[in-house]
């Protein structure tokens, strides 16, 4: 078993419950960690035998482009796509952070984190 991380994916997106959030948008950070059997790719040196981190980044960018009221919802969509489109992934964790959230006070970011395992 091995781990692939794609960290600090920075995107500008339009998520939130407030009308202003979906109109103005804000900065987000996404961190992704997937577990998969990396032994074959470690031996073969072939991209086709591993989880392509270009693919993981693409999924994050595409799903972040679709507005959601809740960060949990966009995180779930990211996980669903990863499990649907890459059969090597056995466990995935995604953390979606809203930078400078409009909650009053000096808050750098709010983060939600979801972890899922592949269903048998």
């Amino acid at each position: 078993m091995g781990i692939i991380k794609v960290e600090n994916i920075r995107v500008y997106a339009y998520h939130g419950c407030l009308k202003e959030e979906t109109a103005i948008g804000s900065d987000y950070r996404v961190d992704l960690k997937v577990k998969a059997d990396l032994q074959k790719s470690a031996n073969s040196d072939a991209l086709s035998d591993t989880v392509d981190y270009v693919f993981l980044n693409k999924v994050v960018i595409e799903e972040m482009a679709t507005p959601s009221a809740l960060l949990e919802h966009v995180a779930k969509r990211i996980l669903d796509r990863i499990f649907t489109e890459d059969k090597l992934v056995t466990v995935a964790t995604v953390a979606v952070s809203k930078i400078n959230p409009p909650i009053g006070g000096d808050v750098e970011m709010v983060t939600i984190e979801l972890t899922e395992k592949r269903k048998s």
Side-chain angles (χ1 to χ4, degrees):
M1 195 59 59
I3 294 173
I4 296 174
K5 295 179 184 180
V6 185
E7 299 176 302
N8 200 19
I9 303 168
R10 293 174 299 272
V11 296
Y12 196 84
Y14 299 87
H15 306 298
C17 295
L18 303 175
K19 189 173 184 177
E20 298 81 18
E21 292 176 294
T22 57
I24 298 168
S26 60
D27 291 309
Y28 291 83
R29 170 187 171 159
V30 180
D31 295 293
L32 187 58
K33 179 171 81 171
V34 300
K35 292 184 180 180
D37 183 350
L38 302 180
Q39 289 305 309
K40 186 174 181 183
S41 60
N43 291 315
S44 72
D45 198 28
L47 182 59
S48 60
D49 291 334
T50 193
V51 178
D52 184 354
Y53 50 79
V54 173
F55 156 75
L56 296 173
N57 186 65
K58 177 179 177 263
V59 168
V60 168
I61 298 300
E62 289 175 357
E63 292 304 323
M64 288 295 290
T66 302
S68 292
L70 300 177
L71 298 181
E72 293 91 323
H73 189 258
V74 71
K76 176 72 168 127
R77 289 198 324 262
I78 291 168
L79 291 173
D80 288 347
R81 284 236 358 237
I82 289 168
F83 284 115
T84 299
E85 297 178 30
D86 194 314
K87 301 302 181 197
L88 291 177
V89 175
T90 57
V91 179
T93 299
V94 62
V96 180
S97 302
K98 181 180 280 194
I99 310 298
N100 297 319
I103 60 175
D106 186 11
V107 178
E108 180 180 355
M109 72 177 92
V110 294
T111 302
I112 66 92
E113 183 175 291
L114 291 179
T115 299
E116 288 196 11
K117 294 181 182 179
R118 180 171 296 285
K119 294 165 181 63
S120 301

